[in-house]
Amino acid sequence: MTDTEHAGADFVPEPATSRHSYLDSLNPAQREAVEALDGPVLVLAGAGTGKTRVLTTRLGHLLTTGRARPWQVLAVTFTNKAAREMRDRVSQLTGAPTEGWWLGTFHSLAARILRRHAELVGLTGSFTILDTDDQLRLIKQLLEAENVDHKRWPARLILSAIERWKDRALTPDRLKPEDAGDLAGGRMLALYSAYQDRLRTLNACDFGDLLQHCLTLFAITETVDGQTRFPVLEQYQDRFRYILVDEYQDTNQAQYFWLRLLAQRHRNLCCVGDDDQSIYSWRGAEIGNILRFESDFPGAKVIRLEQNYRSTARILSAASALIAHNQGRLGKTLFCEGAAGDPIVARTVWDGEEEARWVVDEIEALERQKVRLGDVAILVRAGYQMREQEDRLITVGVRYRVVGGPRFYERREIRDALAYLRVVAQPADDLAFERIINVPRRGIGATTIRTLSSFARRERIPMTEAVLRLLPTDELTGKARRSLGQLMQDFDRWRAVAGSRPHTDLARIVLDESGYTAMWQAEKTVEAQGRLENLKELVAGMEEFETLAGFLEHVSLVMEATEAGDANAAAEMVTLMTLHAAKGLEFGHVFLPGWEEGVFPSQRSMDETGVAGLEEERRLAYVGLTRAKTRAYISSAARRRIYGMWQDTLPSRFLSEIPADHLDRQSDIAPASGFDGSGYRGLFEASRQAAVNRRGPPMLDDVAYTVTPRTRPEQPYDAGHRVFHEKFGPGTVRLVDADKLTIQFDHAGEKKVMDSFVVPLDQAT
C-alpha cells in the first residue's frame, strides 16, 4: 500500500441511515448529477446553477457510500483556489481530512505522477519547474547561440509558440517545418528541440512539460507474454476508478488526451462545464472537447443544470436569447423561480467620456440607495477601456479596485511611456530616467548606471547632467558612450518638438523614435498586443489636457489616490475588471460599457478567427450578463475616440439579439439626429464643447526647473600628482581641464576621467 493509500486508510463511510441526508437540499437535476456514478457523465452547468456544489457533493457521495476509496478518485480543477474550496467542502461533508487525496489542478496532479517516474523521461524526481522569467532567460541564451536576431524574434514570441504547441501535445518530433513557417528565420523547430534538450540537461521542465511528459510516460510499452502492455498508464488506469473534472470547457488538447487515456479502463468520467462560457481559446482552450463529449464517450449521459440561483428572470432570459444565436453549442435554457426583476438598462451616449460620467453617476446613485460598493462591478472587453472609467472614478472620489491586473497607470508599458515624457518635461527626474535608460535595450548595463548614479549624487546634479559630463571621458565604455550620446540627442530633439507640436504628437514621436513601440510590435503575442492598445489609449487620453505638464500632474494625482486607496484595503470598493477576469464571480449590479461594433464584439477577434471568433465574443457577452444578480447596465457610445482617432460607432449587434421587452432603452441622442449627417455632427460638437467647458481652466504651462550643483572646491589636483581610480587603479595626472583629468594609469594606459572619481594615491585604501 502506498503512502497515499495509508493516508486514507482510516476513512470510514457514513452509516447507511445518514448516507443520503446531504442530498435533500439538491434540486432534481443536481441530484441526478450527483447520483449518476457509473459511466461517462457530462454535466452542462449553466451560470449560477450550483456546479461547484454538485461536483463536491458528487465526490463526497462516492466516498460516503463506499463506492470508492479516496485514493481511487481523481478530482481535477483549474485553479489552486478551486482545489482548496473543493477540499474544504468535501472534508466538511465527509468528516475526513483530504491530505494525500488526488485532488488538485492539472499541473499539480501531473507533477505528482511525473516525480514518481521522472527517470523514464530523462529527469530525476527532484526536477525543477521553471517560471516564465527562467524560461525567457533560457530562450534568450538559445537565440544567441543560434545567432537569431532577438529584436526581430523576441524570446517571448518564441516561448508563446512553444507553449501553444505544448497545449496541443505537439513535441518537436511531431512537427513539420511548415508548422513553424518563418518563425525565428526558419529555425523555430531547431530552437524548440534545443530548448527541450537544455531543460533535460538542467533537470527541469516548464508547466507544459508536466502534461507532455505524462503523455510520454503513458505511451511507454513493454511486451509481456507476447502482448503489448502500457505499464505506467495501466497503473493509473487501475488506480483511478472515478475521475471528476471541473471547467471542462476550458481544457486544451494535452489535458484532453491526459484525461481520456486515464478514463479508458473504468469509463467513470464526470466532466462539469458550460460550453456557453468557453472564452479562453487564446490560452489554448478547445471548445470542441466539450462539444464532442458524447461521440468521444458513447453512451454518455448528459445532464443539464438550468435552474439559476443568482440572477433575475429578466437577466437570464436576455442572456439565454443572446447565446441562442451561437451555432456551436449543446443547448440549455436558464430559468429561476424568483421575481422577474428590472429590465436591463441599455444606454446610448455621445462618447466615451460621457459614458464614464454616466456609469459613475449611476454608481453614486446606487450608493445613496445604500448599495454596497463592493456589490458593484464595471466589466470591460479590453484593458485599454479602463482608463476613462478609472479617471472618472478618481475624479469623483469613488473607491475602486482593479482585479486581474494592475490599474491602468500602473501597467509596465504605461509607466515606461510616462517615464520618457517626464524626462522630456523635467530633465532632473532621475527616477524616470533610470527606468528607461536601457528600455528598449541599448547596451547600457548596471555598471554604467551605477557609475552615473554615484557621480550624480557626489556632484548633486541630475543623472542627465552626469551623462553629459562623463561622455567626453573614459569613465564609460565605448558602447555605453555611443548609446547614451544618442539618447541625449534624442531628448534634445524631443524637447524641441515639445515647443512646437501638440503634446499628443510628442508622445507618439517619443514612443516611435525611442524604439519602445517597435519593441512590443516585434513580440507579436496577445500580451504585447494588449500593451500596444494601452499605449494608444494613453496618447488618446492626453488630448483631454491642455499641456504635457497638466497631463503629468493629473497622473501624479491619480497615483496618489491609488496609493491612498490601497492603504485601506478593507474598505468597500467598486470592482473594475475585464470580462475574461470576471468569469466565476457575481455582483449585485454590473455595468457593461463599450458595447459597440469593433469594440465588442472585438474586430480583431472576428478578423482572426471568423465565425468562431464571433461566437466566442458572444459567449463573453453571455458571461458578462450572467455576472449580474439584480441589475445589468449596458452602454454604447455614438462616437468613440479609439487610439486617438474619433470614430462614429454602431451599437453592438449583441444588443439587437436581446429581446426588446428585456431592455430599458435610454439615449442622450435626439432620435431626429440619427447617426450621420449634419444634425448628428452639430449635436455632437455641442456636446463635446459642453464637456470641455466642464473641465474648468487649463492647467499651468510648463515651468522650467533647474538644479543648482554644489559649489566646487578649488581644484585639488595638478599635473604630476599621483592618484588612484577605483576602476583603472594608480596613475599620474598629465593634464587638468577644469574637473576633467587626463591621467596616465600604470596598467590601463591614458584615460580621461572626472576628478571626483579619483583620490590622492596616499589616501587610497
Side-chain angles (χ1 to χ4, degrees):
M1 186 178 290
T2 66
D3 292 339
T4 301
E5 290 165 344
H6 277 299
D10 58 353
F11 177 82
V12 179
E14 283 187 359
T17 55
S18 62
R19 188 173 297 165
H20 302 298
S21 60
Y22 49 81
L23 300 176
D24 295 340
S25 61
L26 302 178
N27 67 39
Q30 291 174 332
R31 182 159 184 161
E32 182 184 8
V34 168
E35 294 183 308
L37 300 180
D38 297 321
V41 176
L42 174 63
V43 180
L44 285 178
T49 57
K51 75 173 180 63
T52 303
R53 183 181 191 184
V54 166
L55 197 63
T56 54
T57 306
R58 180 184 172 92
L59 176 54
H61 190 59
L62 281 168
L63 302 175
T64 57
T65 57
R67 294 293 292 269
R69 290 291 191 176
W71 59 86
Q72 294 175 318
V73 180
L74 179 71
V76 190
T77 65
F78 261 84
T79 66
N80 290 316
K81 179 182 177 182
R84 287 192 299 270
E85 182 179 357
M86 186 181 294
R87 285 181 181 278
D88 292 343
R89 289 196 184 192
V90 174
S91 180
Q92 183 178 10
L93 181 66
T94 63
T98 60
E99 286 75 14
W101 293 13
W102 288 82
L103 194 166
T105 64
F106 275 101
H107 290 130
S108 66
L109 295 170
R112 188 169 169 183
I113 293 174
L114 182 57
R115 290 199 186 278
R116 296 184 174 194
H117 310 279
E119 67 282 353
L120 297 179
V121 293
L123 302 171
T124 70
S126 61
F127 63 80
T128 300
I129 302 174
L130 301 187
D131 60 19
T132 301
D133 287 344
D134 291 332
Q135 292 174 270
L136 291 172
R137 193 176 302 113
L138 176 55
I139 290 174
K140 288 174 184 176
Q141 294 172 2
L142 295 174
L143 290 173
E144 291 179 6
E146 294 287 329
N147 293 317
V148 175
D149 184 356
H150 67 88
K151 292 184 178 179
R152 184 179 180 190
W153 306 107
R156 197 173 293 275
L157 173 63
I158 303 302
L159 176 59
S160 179
I162 291 174
E163 288 176 337
R164 293 291 77 80
W165 283 330
K166 290 187 178 184
D167 287 344
R168 293 158 56 197
L170 294 174
T171 52
D173 58 294
R174 296 184 61 198
L175 290 165
K176 299 177 182 179
E178 53 266 31
D179 294 325
D182 66 344
L183 270 175
R187 284 174 283 181
M188 185 64 216
L189 295 188
L191 282 170
Y192 187 10
S193 295
Y195 174 72
Q196 292 302 109
D197 290 342
R198 184 62 177 151
L199 286 176
R200 284 191 176 86
T201 301
L202 296 171
N203 191 38
C205 61
D206 57 27
F207 280 97
D209 283 331
L210 296 174
L211 285 157
Q212 190 87 273
H213 286 325
C214 276
L215 295 177
T216 301
L217 289 172
F218 294 165
I220 293 174
T221 61
E222 65 180 15
T223 303
V224 179
D225 297 330
Q227 292 186 332
T228 300
R229 305 293 298 273
F230 297 84
V232 179
L233 175 60
E234 290 173 8
Q235 173 184 340
Y236 291 98
Q237 285 178 334
D238 288 340
R239 171 188 288 273
F240 301 130
R241 296 184 59 190
Y242 293 90
I243 300 175
L244 292 79
V245 187
D246 192 13
E247 304 286 9
Y248 188 62
Q249 78 281 349
D250 293 333
T251 53
N252 60 36
Q253 285 291 92
Q255 292 161 343
Y256 163 79
F257 291 142
W258 188 78
L259 288 168
R260 190 172 179 185
L261 286 169
L262 289 172
Q264 278 181 345
R265 173 155 301 181
H266 298 290
R267 298 184 76 248
N268 295 326
L269 172 66
C270 176
C271 294
V272 180
D274 185 0
D275 53 327
D276 291 335
Q277 295 189 72
S278 179
I279 58 174
Y280 296 120
S281 64
W282 51 277
R283 286 198 320 214
E286 293 278 353
I287 190 174
N289 294 345
I290 192 170
L291 295 180
R292 63 170 179 265
F293 187 88
E294 291 178 274
S295 60
D296 285 342
F297 300 95
K301 175 178 284 191
V302 178
I303 301 170
R304 289 171 168 80
L305 303 184
E306 298 174 307
Q307 184 171 353
N308 178 280
Y309 295 93
R310 175 191 299 160
S311 306
T312 65
R314 270 262 178 65
I315 292 172
L316 296 180
S317 296
S320 295
L322 172 66
I323 200 63
H325 286 78
N326 273 6
Q327 298 299 311
R329 64 190 296 259
L330 297 172
K332 62 184 175 303
T333 302
L334 299 181
F335 70 93
C336 71
E337 295 181 347
D342 296 320
I344 296 169
V345 174
R347 181 89 173 190
T348 302
V349 297
W350 285 109
D351 59 22
E353 183 181 346
E354 289 299 316
E355 179 182 57
R357 186 184 303 277
W358 173 74
V359 167
V360 177
D361 285 350
E362 289 293 315
I363 291 174
E364 287 191 299
L366 289 172
E367 191 175 18
R368 288 192 294 271
Q369 297 167 22
K370 307 304 181 184
V371 172
R372 295 170 51 249
L373 289 181
D375 206 25
V376 179
I378 305 171
L379 309 181
V380 298
R381 171 61 183 86
Y384 73 85
Q385 293 174 265
M386 290 186 183
R387 184 197 61 80
E388 286 178 323
Q389 300 294 332
E390 285 193 66
D391 282 354
R392 185 61 187 167
L393 287 165
I394 290 167
T395 298
V396 174
V398 174
R399 299 182 304 280
Y400 76 99
R401 62 183 182 132
V402 174
V403 175
R407 299 171 188 246
F408 183 82
Y409 292 109
E410 293 174 345
R411 288 172 168 84
R412 172 188 168 185
E413 64 277 11
I414 301 303
R415 283 184 176 271
D416 288 345
L418 290 173
Y420 271 104
L421 296 175
R422 283 165 55 187
V423 176
V424 171
Q426 175 50 275
D429 193 334
D430 283 1
L431 291 177
F433 183 69
E434 195 166 350
R435 180 181 181 92
I436 51 83
I437 190 172
N438 199 40
V439 180
R441 295 189 181 278
R442 300 183 173 92
I444 301 171
T447 300
T448 298
I449 295 173
R450 281 196 299 271
T451 299
L452 292 170
S453 180
S454 175
F455 181 66
R457 286 197 304 272
R458 283 201 303 270
E459 298 296 310
R460 298 183 186 177
I461 59 176
M463 283 183 69
T464 51
E465 176 76 14
V467 171
L468 296 174
R469 297 265 294 273
L470 293 181
L471 279 177
T473 75
D474 293 307
E475 301 287 355
L476 307 174
T477 64
K479 183 176 183 181
R481 279 205 305 272
R482 289 190 296 273
S483 296
L484 286 168
Q486 181 60 56
L487 185 60
M488 291 299 99
Q489 291 178 24
D490 289 341
F491 274 113
D492 286 342
R493 185 175 65 258
W494 297 332
R495 289 185 189 108
V497 169
S500 59
R501 302 277 291 275
H503 53 285
T504 49
D505 288 353
L506 169 67
R508 295 186 187 95
I509 291 169
V510 169
L511 292 173
D512 289 344
E513 293 186 355
S514 66
Y516 193 78
T517 300
M519 179 183 78
W520 293 117
Q521 287 173 334
E523 204 167 279
K524 296 183 176 67
T525 62
V526 173
E527 181 186 41
Q529 184 61 41
R531 293 186 189 279
L532 289 169
E533 291 175 350
N534 290 336
L535 290 171
K536 291 176 181 177
E537 179 61 22
L538 174 71
V539 176
M542 293 174 65
E543 291 186 8
E544 299 176 13
F545 299 87
E546 298 289 337
T547 66
L548 176 60
F551 171 69
L552 293 176
E553 178 181 328
H554 166 75
V555 173
S556 297
L557 294 174
V558 166
M559 298 305 290
E560 182 181 4
T562 295
E563 292 169 3
D566 289 344
N568 189 15
E572 291 186 351
M573 300 180 184
V574 172
T575 297
L576 176 59
M577 64 200 310
T578 65
L579 285 161
H580 282 100
K583 186 172 173 292
L585 303 178
E586 59 182 45
F587 305 89
H589 302 260
V590 171
F591 291 84
L592 301 163
W595 278 43
E596 298 128 27
E597 286 295 300
V599 177
F600 191 39
S602 160
Q603 190 63 48
R604 191 176 74 217
S605 294
M606 293 188 292
D607 289 344
E608 292 177 355
T609 54
V611 174
L614 175 60
E615 294 210 341
E616 181 154 332
E617 290 290 295
R618 190 176 283 113
R619 291 194 291 271
L620 196 55
Y622 171 86
V623 167
L625 282 172
T626 54
R627 298 313 92 195
K629 294 188 291 185
T630 305
R631 294 290 299 272
Y633 306 77
I634 299 172
S635 56
S636 59
R639 187 165 160 120
R640 189 177 293 276
R641 186 169 51 201
I642 300 177
Y643 308 144
M645 301 287 290
W646 282 105
Q647 298 180 21
D648 291 344
T649 56
L650 294 174
S652 170
R653 70 189 71 189
F654 298 154
L655 277 167
S656 66
E657 294 171 356
I658 298 174
D661 57 344
H662 294 319
L663 295 176
D664 173 13
R665 289 190 176 274
Q666 303 175 5
S667 179
D668 291 344
I669 303 170
S673 65
F675 280 88
D676 54 14
S678 59
Y680 164 77
R681 297 193 184 282
L683 286 170
F684 171 76
E685 291 304 328
S687 174
R688 287 295 303 157
Q689 187 57 51
V692 170
N693 293 339
R694 278 195 297 271
R695 280 202 294 269
M699 297 290 188
L700 295 174
D701 291 333
D702 295 85
V703 178
Y705 180 86
T706 59
V707 174
T708 304
R710 66 172 180 173
T711 303
R712 298 188 56 81
E714 186 178 346
Q715 177 56 253
Y717 302 111
D718 290 318
H721 278 179
R722 291 285 288 170
V723 295
F724 180 85
H725 188 283
E726 184 175 350
K727 179 178 179 181
F728 301 126
T732 303
V733 177
R734 296 298 187 199
L735 182 65
V736 178
D737 179 12
D739 57 353
K740 299 182 183 64
L741 307 178
T742 301
I743 301 175
Q744 181 66 42
F745 289 99
D746 298 355
H747 305 293
E750 186 174 283
K751 302 287 184 182
K752 291 183 179 180
V753 302
M754 303 301 296
D755 61 5
S756 60
F757 280 83
V758 300
V759 296
L761 186 60
D762 58 4
Q763 296 180 18
T765 57

